[in-house]
Amino acid sequence: MHLREFRQSQVLPIPLEQAWAFFSNPANLNEITPPDMRFQTLGGDLGPVHPGQLIWYRLQLAPFIYRTWVTEIKQVVPREYFLDEQRFGPYKLWHHRHSFRAVSETHTEVSDHVVYALPFWPFSEIAHAMYVQPMHEKVFRYRQQELLKRFGN
């Protein structure tokens, strides 16, 4: 298995409590995912994140190719971080830590650290270079833009 990492941080002009309330609500993921991915929350426990929580999603990987993705919230330290892992989906491994840090009373740093692996290595190297890596960059760039629209800069 060939592990890869993706990291991103952004400072939002909102207090830590507000950042935590937004990101710890699984339904808000729909709002910060590019529309062309046709991302939908299908079910599971849609309350605030907690250990053991399972959530089902559906997304479009390519035209007419949809995939179900099931994640489990593994760890939660309120207002500090939560960790989700894929249980079923397009990756061989997906481990995503969402971290939060108060920069001031009115600003919060929001960070993502993703460790992932694709199935069918080494054949997946081409798919990673041509599709997966650009898709991750697009998704997280879109999230940054949508968060700035929502919360200001």
Side-chain angles (χ1 to χ4, degrees), residues 10-22:
Q10 177 178 18
V11 175
L12 296 174
I14 56 175
L16 178 60
E17 289 292 333
Q18 186 178 355
W20 179 260
F22 179 81

Side-chain angles (χ1 to χ4, degrees), residues 93-140:
L93 176 129
W94 177 269
H95 179 96
H96 185 177
R97 182 181 170 116
H98 309 256
S99 300
F100 306 87
R101 182 179 66 86
V103 176
S104 69
E105 288 184 17
T106 59
H107 288 73
T108 303
E109 180 182 40
V110 178
S111 302
D112 294 282
H113 179 206
V114 181
V115 176
Y116 64 98
L118 298 176
F120 312 116
W121 187 85
F123 306 105
S124 60
E125 291 300 293
I126 294 170
H128 184 267
M130 293 180 64
Y131 179 72
V132 176
Q133 184 174 355
M135 180 196 57
H136 285 170
E137 292 168 359
K138 172 188 165 185
V139 166
F140 283 94

Side-chain angles (χ1 to χ4, degrees), residues 24-138:
S24 66
N25 179 345
N28 288 330
L29 187 55
N30 293 348
E31 297 179 34
I32 58 173
T33 301
D36 63 346
M37 293 185 75
R38 293 176 179 38
F39 187 87
Q40 297 174 302
T41 303
L42 296 178
D45 182 348
L46 300 180
V49 293
H50 60 273
Q53 181 178 20
L54 294 173
I55 308 163
W56 286 260
Y57 305 100
R58 181 176 185 237
L59 66 150
Q60 184 175 6
L61 297 176
F64 308 107
I65 299 174
Y66 289 85
R67 182 67 193 242
T68 299
W69 192 349
V70 178
T71 60
E72 178 181 357
I73 304 299
K74 295 296 288 181
Q75 297 176 352
V76 176
V77 176
R79 294 168 300 287
E80 189 175 324
Y81 76 91
F82 66 92
L83 176 67
D84 68 78
E85 291 183 352
Q86 175 187 282
R87 287 293 156 252
F88 176 80
Y91 296 89
K92 184 171 182 81
L93 176 129
W94 177 269
H95 179 96
H96 185 177
R97 182 181 170 116
H98 309 256
S99 300
F100 306 87
R101 182 179 66 86
V103 176
S104 69
E105 288 184 17
T106 59
H107 288 73
T108 303
E109 180 182 40
V110 178
S111 302
D112 294 282
H113 179 206
V114 181
V115 176
Y116 64 98
L118 298 176
F120 312 116
W121 187 85
F123 306 105
S124 60
E125 291 300 293
I126 294 170
H128 184 267
M130 293 180 64
Y131 179 72
V132 176
Q133 184 174 355
M135 180 196 57
H136 285 170
E137 292 168 359
K138 172 188 165 185

